Structure formats: structure tokens, C-alpha cells
Amino acid sequence: MNVIKAKDRKELDSRLPTMPWYIEKFINYKLPDLSPSSLLEYVRDYEIFLKWLMAEGLTAAADIRDVPLADLEKLRMDAIDNFRMSLAAGLGSHTNSKTTIVRKLSSLRSLFHYLSQIAEDEEFYPLLKRNIMAKVEIKRTHKPKDTAAKLEGKLLQEHEIGEFIDYVARGYGDDVAGNKQATYFHQLNKERDVCIISLILHSGLRVSEVVNLNAEDLDLKKKLAYVYRKGKNDETFKTPVYFRQLAISHLETYLELRPARYRPSKKEKALFLAIANGKKEGERMTKRAIQEMVIKYAKRFGKPYLSVHKLRHSFATDYYVRNDLYKTQEQLGHASPDTTQIYAHLTDKTMAEAIDRSKAESPGS
């Protein structure tokens, strides 16, 4: 099992006993089909909902574990509407986007559907006699055209991909030269950071896939990285993903210094390492560490909206221009070509701008 899934499975197992019995039953029913990471998101959503029921006086239970099924049966539409508005106001987190709200409501609908249509009591009757969530209309928000519109102007263009990598390698050090702490950490991790950013920008890997990479998962001769793809529960199979030749030199440089610079233990197989405060041996970088690292460089580069995921989008847009929808879908590991359609919308403008640039630069213009 990959590192992130193993960690999420451990947290899932620790959280389940704090949930009502019927939620535990639902999660166990879904376990063969969904990843621990997805099920953990379900549990987090249910915890927010059950705590909201308690705060609103819609259950007499003193603990979320004791919320009875009968209280779910008595819920009215105005209660669900109020819950939706509470989510929009920031319930359960600092902010809840429309996409997040849709996901939380979908989580509830999946639970209520299971309890009312699939699970049975000893007399073969549904566990939930009345399903209020069946009345709730959930509008999907992730249309490719809408997603493309949100990303427009927030990605690296073709010429900026090399410029950003070069900035991490050279420019950032000059910008923080007066800051001893920033200079120390940059000198320590520069080659690693360049390697990570270059790999994402030349392969389109997800941050979770980068985190899970082991040193043995790379084949530099074939330009392949073997990764656990999102949504695939077969833990014995890794998918080969190509990376461009431009990433090779950065990978070679990092791999050469990795043993001496980060001093990993013999058991540590992770490709990308970090040495935590107070420790002498390098350990696998976390998802958050990579995300924060990219944001740090992006702000200094003058693109504060750039994130790890937008690096992936930047690669995908550039890749789509040179290939087609289905090759891009395969490279990115999308389950459906519908998801990949966002790059068709993005590249329409990208290609138009490229044509305009070429006209402006031509001698006869």
C-alpha cells in the first residue's frame, strides 16, 4: 500500500470507533471499492454533519457516536438547507467552496442511500425508513469549461516553465541572499526542490504520486516513473508514467547527492527526503511540505497563485497542445476524458496567443 493510503487507513481505523454503528457499517461496505483516503473524507464529512445536528438541537445525543438512526429519519428539508448554508458560511473549515459543499452533500446522500436502499435489519426492512437526502438536488460544479475559466491566466506558459525551474535553481538564492536562514535551507535543499518542480512540470504527476515515489521507481533510461495512480486500489501494480528528457539532468544531480546530503536509513526507500528538526536522518517528504515549498518559490517568482496542482495543469496544457485528448488523459491518469476536456478550453486561448506572438515577432509584421 502506498504511503499516503497507509497513513489514511490508519487514521480511518482510529476514527471509525467514534462514529455511530451505521456509519461504521457503511464504511466497511464501501471499503473494497473505495480507497482509504476517500473513505476518510466521508468520515470527516459525517463528523461535521453529526456535530452540526448536536449543535442545532436536532438530536438529543451527547456524543456523535450515539446519534440514532431515528433522528436522521426525522430530518426535514429546511434542516438540510440550513446545513448547506452553514457550510457556505464556513462550517467545519475556514472556507467551503461550492465544490467542497457539493462533495459533503454527496457524502451524505451516499450514506442515506445505503441505509435506505441497501442495508437491512433482521426483519429485512431498510435500516432507514425515510431518506430526506433523496429530495436534495446537488448541482455539479466541475464543468470543464468553468474549471478552465478559473485557471485562465494562473498557469505557467510554455516559456515560463523553464524560467520557473531556472529561478528555483539560481534566482531565488540571489533574492534571499540577505536572509541567513532562508539561504541555509535553500543551499541545503536547492537540488531536491529543483528536481521535484522539474519532475512535475515535465510529467504532470500529482503531488501524492510524487510523495509516494521511491528511489527504485525511476527508470532514467526509459524516462519512466512508476506510480500508484489515484483511484486504483490494486496495491500490487504501479503505473508507468513518462517524463520529459528535460527532467533527466535534475534527477541525476539529486540522486547523486541524496545519500550524503540526507543520510537516509537503510529502510528508507523514499525518493524525496527532508531532515526534520532534531533528526539526523532524512525521511520521506510530506504532501504539505512539497505544497509549501512550491508556494514559497512561486511568491518570489511573482506568481503567488501558483500551486503544486497548477504546475500539473501547466504541464497538461503544454502537453495537450503537442498531443491529443486521449494521450493527455493517459499521461495524467484521468479516469474519464471529460476531466481532460479542461485543457481543450485552455489551449484554445493559448494557441491563439501563440499565433499572435508569432505574427508580432515575424519580420514582415
Side-chain angles (χ1 to χ4, degrees):
M1 183 177 290
N2 74 51
V3 175
I4 293 177
K5 283 187 179 179
K7 182 181 177 182
D8 287 346
R9 179 58 192 266
K10 186 177 180 180
E11 184 178 347
L12 179 66
D13 289 342
S14 68
R15 278 176 175 257
L16 271 184
T18 70
M19 292 285 112
W21 64 270
Y22 49 85
I23 288 181
E24 190 169 357
K25 186 178 178 69
F26 169 69
I27 296 298
N28 287 329
Y29 169 76
K30 284 289 188 180
L31 198 54
D33 302 317
L34 296 177
S35 72
S37 304
S38 297
L39 293 174
L40 182 58
E41 287 299 321
Y42 274 138
V43 170
R44 288 170 178 161
D45 292 342
Y46 299 150
E47 182 179 6
I48 290 170
F49 177 67
L50 295 174
K51 285 183 176 179
W52 180 83
L53 290 181
M54 293 168 59
E56 294 294 311
L58 296 172
T59 177
D63 188 279
I64 60 172
R65 186 180 181 183
D66 300 323
V67 176
L69 272 170
D71 288 346
L72 302 187
E73 287 181 339
K74 296 174 185 175
L75 290 174
R76 296 181 178 274
M77 271 303 300
D78 59 352
I80 303 301
D81 289 338
N82 288 337
F83 178 62
R84 192 200 300 260
M85 287 188 287
S86 296
L87 288 174
L91 177 68
S93 65
H94 296 298
T95 58
N96 282 306
S97 65
K98 289 181 180 179
T99 302
T100 301
I101 293 171
V102 165
R103 197 205 71 231
K104 291 182 185 300
L105 292 175
S106 295
S107 296
L108 280 178
R109 191 155 69 172
S110 295
L111 172 65
F112 278 59
H113 173 78
Y114 167 77
L115 295 174
S116 63
Q117 301 295 321
I118 299 172
E120 300 174 335
D121 62 17
E122 293 179 353
E123 301 297 324
F124 306 108
Y125 287 105
L127 290 180
L128 194 69
K129 309 300 187 294
R130 176 175 170 273
N131 178 6
I132 186 62
M133 291 303 298
K135 299 180 180 181
V136 178
E137 182 181 359
I138 300 178
K139 295 180 180 179
R140 299 293 174 180
T141 60
H142 51 277
K143 294 180 180 178
K145 193 172 183 178
D146 295 338
T147 304
K150 290 179 181 179
L151 290 172
E152 196 172 289
K154 296 181 180 179
L155 305 181
L156 293 173
Q157 300 303 311
E158 179 186 0
H159 65 284
E160 292 177 319
I161 289 176
E163 289 175 5
F164 184 53
I165 294 171
D166 188 65
Y167 175 77
V168 177
R170 298 175 182 83
Y172 179 83
D174 295 336
D175 285 349
V176 298
N179 185 322
K180 290 184 178 180
Q181 185 178 27
T183 298
Y184 168 76
F185 282 109
H186 181 61
Q187 289 176 346
L188 176 66
N189 298 312
K190 178 177 67 174
E191 291 82 4
R192 180 202 68 188
D193 296 352
V194 169
C195 186
I196 291 172
I197 290 171
S198 176
L199 181 60
I200 296 172
L201 283 171
H202 291 308
S203 68
L205 289 177
R206 299 178 176 91
V207 63
S208 59
E209 293 165 349
V210 173
V211 169
N212 281 311
L213 275 175
N214 292 331
E216 64 189 22
D217 293 332
L218 291 178
D219 187 331
L220 297 185
K221 290 183 178 179
K222 294 182 179 180
K223 294 181 288 187
L224 289 174
Y226 292 86
V227 304
Y228 290 111
R229 276 301 196 191
K230 179 182 177 181
K232 292 188 177 181
N233 290 328
D234 184 355
E235 301 298 346
T236 64
F237 179 74
K238 291 184 178 182
T239 303
V241 179
Y242 285 97
F243 51 83
R244 289 169 171 163
Q245 179 68 33
L246 292 166
I248 294 288
S249 61
H250 301 131
L251 285 164
E252 289 176 337
T253 299
Y254 171 70
L255 287 170
E256 186 176 347
L257 61 81
R258 176 181 171 276
R261 179 79 57 87
Y262 295 97
R263 303 183 296 278
S265 67
K266 291 182 179 179
K267 294 181 180 179
E268 184 57 80
K269 297 180 179 180
L271 174 60
F272 294 114
L273 305 168
I275 300 178
N277 289 334
K279 294 192 176 183
K280 295 181 179 180
E281 295 178 338
E283 297 177 344
R284 188 182 299 270
M285 286 187 77
T286 64
K287 182 178 178 180
R288 175 170 290 184
I290 294 178
Q291 290 170 331
E292 290 177 349
M293 177 265 288
V294 169
I295 291 171
K296 175 185 73 175
Y297 291 121
K299 285 180 178 178
R300 285 279 186 171
F301 186 63
K303 292 186 177 289
Y305 42 78
L306 204 57
S307 63
V308 178
H309 204 60
K310 287 188 175 68
L311 295 186
R312 172 174 155 86
H313 284 312
S314 297
F315 163 81
T317 305
D318 184 61
Y319 186 86
Y320 181 82
V321 171
R322 306 164 194 274
N323 294 278
D324 58 33
L325 180 71
Y326 296 103
K327 284 183 179 178
T328 306
Q329 177 191 352
E330 183 178 0
Q331 177 70 23
L332 297 177
H334 287 159
S336 166
D338 292 343
T339 308
T340 319
Q341 283 286 351
I342 65 172
Y343 305 111
H345 297 288
L346 276 167
T347 53
D348 284 345
K349 185 171 183 180
T350 301
M351 294 177 77
E353 289 175 347
I355 291 170
D356 288 339
R357 280 201 308 273
S358 64
K359 286 181 178 179
E361 293 167 1
S362 63
S365 61

